[in-house]
Amino acid sequence: MNINEALNILNLSGSVTKADIAKAYKRLAVKYHPDKNPTGAEMMKIINAAYEMLKNLDLEEIKHTDQENAYNYAEVLEEVIREVLKMHGVIIEICGNWIWLSGETRQYKEQIKALGCLWASKKKQWYFRPAEHKSSRHKAWDMDKIRSHYGSEILKGNSFLNLNDFQKTTLPAAA
C-alpha cells in the first residue's frame, strides 16, 4: 500500500497532519465498528493497515500526490463487500486492500462484474482493487506469493444475515 492508497482509504486528500490522520481513523473506526456495521470486521482490517502505515511515516505533513484521483475507497470497498456477502457460497479473501472472490461464483458472474470486479484467468478468481492499481505493468504472482507478501484473511460464509457463522483464517503478511 502506498501513501495515496492509504489516504484514499481514510478519505483524506491534500496535505494532512498526523492529527488529521488520527481523526479520520477514529471517524471510520466508529462507522465500521463490527457491532454497528455488518461489513465492519473486514473493513477495519483495511482501515487499520492504512492507519498503521501512515502513522509510522516520519513526516510532519503528508501530502496526497494525486489529487485528481483522490476518492473514498473505504465506501467503495464497503459496498462491494456488503453485496458479495449476500452471495451464497462465495468466499471472500482480503489481501492488503484487494478483495479476491472464489468458491461458487459462476451463478453470480454478472452481479460480480457489475460491482467492478475483474476476472483473473490464471488464478481462476475474481478480484476488486483500488482504481490506482490500474497499470499496464503487472506482476504475474500466484496467490501463494500474494498471500505471503500482503497477508490474507479468508472469510467463508453462506449468507449476509448470518455473519456470526463466518470462519476466519488469518495469514500474516511477510516481514
Side-chain angles (χ1 to χ4, degrees), residues 54-110:
L54 291 172
K55 83 171 191 175
N56 290 329
L57 292 176
D58 192 25
L59 301 170
E60 286 188 32
E61 187 174 85
I62 300 167
K63 186 170 179 152
H64 200 299
T65 58
D66 189 9
Q67 288 287 53
E68 290 181 21
N69 293 314
Y71 67 105
N72 189 344
Y73 181 62
E75 281 187 12
V76 173
L77 192 61
E78 178 191 16
E79 178 63 27
V80 171
I81 291 172
R82 182 184 301 120
E83 291 303 314
V84 173
L85 285 173
K86 296 176 185 176
M87 299 175 188
H88 181 76
V90 175
I91 298 168
I92 302 172
E93 181 174 5
I94 299 172
C95 297
N97 56 356
W98 288 43
I99 299 173
W100 290 89
L101 306 176
S102 59
E104 300 172 28
T105 61
R106 182 170 287 194
Q107 63 186 332
Y108 302 109
K109 176 182 176 182
E110 295 306 317

Side-chain angles (χ1 to χ4, degrees), residues 21-47:
I21 293 166
K23 285 179 195 173
Y25 173 77
K26 287 177 185 174
R27 180 178 34 80
L28 291 174
V30 169
K31 180 178 181 179
Y32 294 114
H33 190 279
D35 291 343
K36 296 180 180 180
N37 190 320
T39 61
E42 296 78 34
M43 291 299 300
M44 283 309 299
K45 289 170 187 63
I46 294 167
I47 292 165

Side-chain angles (χ1 to χ4, degrees), residues 85-141:
L85 285 173
K86 296 176 185 176
M87 299 175 188
H88 181 76
V90 175
I91 298 168
I92 302 172
E93 181 174 5
I94 299 172
C95 297
N97 56 356
W98 288 43
I99 299 173
W100 290 89
L101 306 176
S102 59
E104 300 172 28
T105 61
R106 182 170 287 194
Q107 63 186 332
Y108 302 109
K109 176 182 176 182
E110 295 306 317
Q111 289 172 274
I112 292 171
K113 282 170 64 173
L115 291 171
C117 296
L118 302 169
W119 177 251
S121 57
K122 291 183 180 177
K123 295 172 184 66
K124 305 279 190 239
Q125 293 187 37
W126 292 92
Y127 65 93
F128 184 82
R129 48 115 170 95
E132 57 269 21
H133 277 277
K134 292 180 182 174
S135 172
S136 58
R137 300 174 299 142
H138 74 282
K139 300 173 184 173
W141 287 4

